[in-house]
Amino acid sequence: MVNQLMQNDWNLEDIFRQQDELKVKLLRAQSVVAECKAGLADLERRLECRAISIDERQRNSAANNSIGNARPRKSRSVDDPVNPDAAVAFSPRSWDR
């Protein structure tokens, strides 16, 4: 644009027109920058929310796993095999009474 100004021998009308064109281009560029900043801020918020969500899921999963590991063993079924070495809670002599 400077070259155009030099070629036009400093015609004031051309200078003002080009100045106006440059102002319009600058405003458009500023608008694009503002839009990009807003979009970037939105993406950062969404990523932060997603990271918090993932972190909460991991904490919940870890808590559920620790609760699951702390649960007592499932009750035995009638069909489960009997361990002959297991301690007996009663005496066979009590049956005779």
Side-chain angles (χ1 to χ4, degrees):
M1 287 202 159
V2 175
N3 290 337
Q4 288 176 346
L5 291 174
M6 297 298 283
Q7 290 173 359
N8 292 335
D9 293 327
W10 300 97
N11 181 346
L12 282 179
E13 187 176 313
D14 288 340
I15 292 173
F16 288 129
R17 182 183 48 77
Q18 288 180 352
Q19 182 181 15
D20 289 341
E21 289 173 3
L22 288 172
K23 285 180 183 178
V24 169
K25 286 182 180 182
L26 179 61
L27 289 173
R28 285 181 187 153
Q30 288 172 336
S31 174
V32 168
V33 168
E35 187 177 333
C36 289
K37 285 182 178 180
L40 181 60
D42 182 49
L43 282 175
E44 288 173 343
R45 279 191 300 273
R46 289 169 47 195
L47 283 173
E48 186 176 329
C49 287
R50 182 168 286 168
I52 290 170
S53 174
I54 289 171
D55 187 42
E56 286 175 357
R57 278 190 236 144
Q58 288 174 343
R59 273 190 264 135
N60 289 341
S61 176
N64 288 341
N65 286 340
S66 65
I67 290 171
N69 293 338
R71 289 184 184 147
R73 195 174 147 202
K74 189 173 122 178
S75 63
R76 296 179 59 101
S77 168
V78 175
D79 297 327
D80 288 347
V82 176
N83 182 356
D85 298 327
V88 179
F90 59 89
S91 165
R93 290 187 182 139
S94 64
W95 293 348
D96 296 335
R97 294 185 188 172

